[in-house]
Amino acid sequence: MTSTVPTAAPTPAPDPAAATAPVPVKGRGKRAKRRLPLRRQPILTPIAVYDCHDPMPCDRDALNTWARSQGLHPELTYRWEVYRTDHLWVRAYEYAAEPDGTLIWDPAHEDFHRAAPYDQPIMTLPPDLWMVELPWGLPLLSANDRIHHRVRAEYTRALRSAAAAAAKAARLPAMQAAHVIGEYRPGHRARRRDAANWSPSFKAAADGLVDAGVLDDDDASRMVGPDPRLGPPDPDAALAGIRWGRIVLYLRIRADLMPDDAPTG
């Protein structure tokens, strides 16, 4: 009796058209988009960067004294990035060193060996960096607003006066020139997440700095910015039930931008 061994069926050749055909995705359509809204986190950017190779003049002794008080190591650091989320912190980039503090040379790159960066909480801002935080509940101006010019003027006055009061409360010194960052920190129900939309609010708040006497004027010889930034939602907004966000200004003194009419010598 002869036995037959079953053989496998020949594999069909792949169809080129089937390989390029779109794969059906479950849940497409308007209803699926409403059920699963797309949530993207804003790109986290520093409010100030301190680099040992930065040619901008600053008081390095005061900066190093501040760094030591915050638990940082200025003798090893070549770059600091200052961030503010729900707290202040610094991302520190340091050179690798021996236990006695001697820097380790890296022959492969002909430079000192660099250690992995680490994040360090800080309690205060660096000596040349200042923060002006406007209160909650202010009517903000957006570039997409279609409001009456009288209402816009009223909102502008409210933002200017609030920024001037906040600058005086923070005891900002008079500055010859400054780099200004305008940050929008959204509330827990805010949907507009384009920082450039709030440029009119940043401009009105920056004018309040001039009203407070922090800057003589806001022209290009005295102020760089305000640069629009989108910050993370403030946890206080969710606790207080605030729908809209607030405006925060960060100022870094620019000693390299001296007005032509500033006193010299």
Side-chain angles (χ1 to χ4, degrees), residues 27-171:
R28 282 187 172 180
K30 294 182 178 179
R31 297 182 62 184
K33 291 182 180 180
R34 286 198 297 266
R35 289 196 304 267
L36 297 175
L38 186 60
R39 300 284 186 177
R40 288 195 177 98
Q41 295 295 328
I43 299 174
L44 189 62
T45 56
I47 57 178
V49 176
Y50 296 88
D51 198 307
C52 65
H53 304 295
D54 190 354
M56 187 175 64
C58 65
D59 191 346
R60 293 290 178 177
D61 293 336
L63 184 64
N64 293 340
T65 302
W66 165 85
R68 294 187 181 95
S69 68
Q70 306 300 316
L72 299 170
H73 311 285
E75 65 277 359
L76 300 178
T77 305
Y78 61 89
R79 182 183 176 91
W80 288 315
E81 295 177 353
V82 182
Y83 295 87
R84 179 173 179 254
T85 49
D86 57 343
H87 65 285
L88 290 169
W89 54 282
V90 165
R91 180 159 293 163
Y93 297 82
E94 296 182 351
Y95 295 109
E98 300 288 353
D100 60 353
T102 304
L103 300 183
I104 301 176
W105 181 259
D106 189 358
H109 298 86
E110 294 295 326
D111 195 1
F112 292 108
H113 183 68
R114 299 185 179 185
Y118 65 91
D119 298 337
Q120 173 73 25
I122 57 177
M123 301 302 296
T124 60
L125 290 171
D128 65 339
L129 183 61
W130 300 83
M131 180 177 65
V132 177
E133 193 170 38
L134 275 66
W136 292 106
L138 287 175
L140 301 183
L141 292 170
S142 171
N144 296 329
D145 287 339
R146 299 295 182 267
I147 57 178
H148 195 270
H149 65 90
R150 292 183 179 177
V151 178
R152 179 176 290 272
E154 181 182 354
Y155 288 1
T156 301
R157 285 194 298 269
L159 288 169
R160 287 187 65 160
S161 61
K168 292 178 181 178
R171 298 181 179 179

Side-chain angles (χ1 to χ4, degrees), residues 128 130 172-178 213-216 222 251-253:
D128 65 339
W130 300 83
L172 266 69
M175 306 176 187
Q176 292 290 343
V214 178
L215 294 168
D216 293 337
R222 295 172 174 85
L251 289 82
R252 185 177 179 188
I253 299 175

Side-chain angles (χ1 to χ4, degrees), residues 13-24:
D15 187 4
T20 58
V23 179

